[in-house]
Amino acid sequence: MGLKGFVEGGIASIIAGASTHPLDLIKVRMQLQGESNPALVQAYRPTVAALNTPNGYISLHIAPPPRVGLISIGTQIVKSEGATALFSGVSATILRQTLYSTTRMGLYEILKQKWSDHSDSDTAKLPIMKKIVAGLIAGSVGAAVGNPADVAMVRMQADGRLPIEQRRNYRSVVDAISQMSKQEGIASLWRGSALTVNRAMIVTASQLATYDQVKEVILEKGVMSDGIGTHVTASFAAGFVASVASNPIDVIKTRVMNMKLEAGGVAPYSGALDCAMKTVRTEGVMALYKGFIPTISRQGPFTVVLFVTLEQVRKLFKDL
């Protein structure tokens, strides 16, 4: 297997990521709905001493705009930013898939091979717990490698929702990474990396292990043969499980990565836990499942394209 597993996984991941990018962009925009905008909250010290407030400040809060759904946000993006805006950050997506998904897919296959006592054709028959552990390890390594592209992707996707004067206007993923490094330091490329690693571990373990397990059960029970029907069915199951398991971490990850640090200013969130607590406190627990519909709408097609493409690429590379 070795290098072939990385190449096969990389090709399938890039095709799946690029083709479902608009849904991922809409998901990011939905996850940022309801987040406080520092520009809309002002605090000032009253000049009239008679005003008695606990800290001497008056805070003016402007209600956030009403939340809208998948189709509404997609339509709004096309109307206000143009159809091409749906592919904002696609270069970062391709780089992310090249780094993150290539690593996790290839490493997962290597671990399956290494931990299996069977021939190559029987490696899917690993116990479910071994598949999950393989997914956790592969996901963590892949996320650490791909985090800079992930940060760039989130920022490029979210840029259009900001006022024109506040936009970062990155020209490409290379420009985004370059500007972040110069303006915020190299460490900014790994902002939210703990969240990225945790999410990637959950997604990879649930997605890859579920796909292998469901496919194995379908074939063992004789429900379908080893063809596209089996691959699509197992893919949808894998996409659903991965979406449910990862959405809360994905919301927090998106907000931490997207936060804008002004010179001398205070960061909106001190970390992942602070972000989670503020999100739940101000928007409720279900805010952690913001963007779930586009998440599953994207994760379903992404997972189907990923595994169907992967199975076809494997056939092409079988004799190499």
Side-chain angles (χ1 to χ4, degrees), residues 3 9 36 60-61 71 80 85 97 99 105 107 165 181 190 213 219 236 239 252 273 294 300 307 314:
L3 182 60
S36 297
L60 302 178
H61 297 276
I71 297 175
S80 61
Q97 296 300 337
L99 298 175
M105 299 288 286
L107 186 54
E165 65 276 6
S181 301
W190 274 270
Q213 195 68 22
L219 296 178
F236 266 120
I252 303 305
L273 182 59
F307 286 114
R314 281 175 176 168

Side-chain angles (χ1 to χ4, degrees), residues 63-237:
R67 297 169 187 169
V68 290
L70 173 67
I71 297 175
S72 297
I73 286 186
T75 303
Q76 181 183 352
I77 291 171
V78 172
K79 285 182 178 179
S80 61
E81 303 171 49
T84 55
L86 292 173
F87 283 91
S88 297
V90 71
S91 61
T93 290
I94 292 172
L95 178 60
R96 177 179 180 269
Q97 296 300 337
T98 302
L99 298 175
Y100 159 62
S101 286
T102 298
T103 302
R104 73 179 183 121
M105 299 288 286
L107 186 54
Y108 178 75
E109 290 300 324
I110 286 176
L111 292 173
K112 279 205 310 178
Q113 293 280 350
K114 188 175 181 63
W115 294 346
S116 176
D117 296 327
H118 306 287
S119 64
D120 287 356
S121 61
D122 291 325
T123 53
K125 294 182 181 178
L126 275 174
I128 183 66
M129 285 310 299
K130 283 191 176 182
K131 294 172 187 171
I132 291 174
V133 172
L136 292 172
I137 295 172
S140 64
V141 175
V145 171
N147 201 81
D150 208 358
V151 177
M153 182 186 71
V154 167
R155 290 188 173 197
M156 292 174 76
Q157 289 177 334
D159 213 34
R161 69 185 282 273
L162 297 172
I164 294 176
E165 65 276 6
Q166 294 182 20
R167 292 180 186 176
R168 299 179 174 101
N169 295 318
Y170 298 135
R171 295 187 300 273
S172 67
V173 63
V174 175
D175 181 49
I177 291 175
S178 175
Q179 284 197 43
M180 280 188 283
S181 301
K182 291 176 182 177
Q183 298 171 5
E184 304 172 49
I186 296 294
S188 67
L189 299 178
W190 274 270
R191 181 173 295 152
S193 58
L195 286 167
T196 305
V197 169
N198 288 334
R199 177 188 178 276
M201 291 171 68
I202 291 173
V203 168
T204 304
S206 57
Q207 186 187 64
L208 302 188
T210 299
Y211 177 79
D212 280 345
Q213 195 68 22
V214 172
K215 178 183 172 184
E216 180 184 328
V217 170
I218 290 174
L219 296 178
E220 282 186 350
K221 302 294 184 183
V223 178
M224 288 184 280
S225 60
D226 189 4
I228 194 166
T230 297
H231 304 158
V232 170
T233 302
S235 297
F236 266 120

